[in-house]
Amino acid sequence: MALLQVFLTRLNQSDSSKIPAGWAYVLPTEAQWEYACRAGTTTAYSWGDSISSANANYNRNISSTQDVGQYSPNAWGFFDMHGNVWEWVADWYGSYGSNAVTDPTGPASSSNRVLRGGSWLNVGTILRSALRYGITP
């Protein structure tokens, strides 16, 4: 995670003249990631409720990661939100509260960060839009 933050800092420095004032490259929050992944859907995956090797790189069907864009994008044009590689988000891992919340923020601290999306190694159910995983950075 520290290397990723170093990368983002360097990217912001090198592209400072190319991005609008006050903007920066950052990891999305967990809520932002899921919103972008779902692309307006309420199904298990952005394309529906079932998964096949035509939808994503998962379950070792290709035996390695692949360049982004080998599968169709979701309705908002985002590629590979499901499978291929796990994606870090900015939030610390913690339990969800019991009340409905719009654009929630994660806990202020934890020993784990959140990963989303699943990878080429995982079975299809792990790639669901709502699945979250906590791991030590």
Side-chain angles (χ1 to χ4, degrees):
M1 190 71 164
L3 288 176
L4 183 55
Q5 294 301 341
V6 169
F7 170 77
L8 289 170
T9 298
R10 290 180 181 166
L11 183 62
N12 282 312
Q13 291 168 346
S14 71
D15 281 9
S16 63
S17 65
K18 301 175 189 172
I19 55 179
W23 287 41
Y25 296 106
V26 298
L27 288 176
T29 65
E30 186 174 6
Q32 290 167 338
W33 186 95
E34 187 169 334
Y35 184 77
C37 177
R38 288 186 176 280
T41 66
T42 58
T43 53
Y45 309 95
S46 60
W47 56 79
D49 284 320
S50 62
I51 188 169
S52 76
S53 60
N55 302 121
N57 183 13
Y58 76 105
N59 205 26
R60 298 185 172 131
N61 61 336
I62 298 179
S63 300
S64 67
T65 59
Q66 297 294 300
D67 290 341
V68 172
Q70 303 302 308
Y71 297 89
S72 297
N74 69 15
W76 292 352
F78 294 111
F79 289 90
D80 296 326
M81 298 294 288
H82 303 276
N84 206 27
V85 296
W86 282 102
E87 298 179 23
W88 288 107
V89 297
D91 292 339
W92 290 104
Y93 186 83
S95 298
Y96 285 146
S98 58
N99 298 329
V101 180
T102 300
D103 199 15
T105 57
S109 65
S110 173
S111 57
N112 294 325
R113 290 274 187 182
V114 178
L115 289 176
R116 299 297 295 257
S119 81
W120 66 275
L121 289 166
N122 300 119
V123 296
T125 55
I126 301 297
L127 279 60
R128 294 178 303 108
S129 300
L131 191 122
R132 54 202 298 269
Y133 186 69
I135 191 167
T136 303

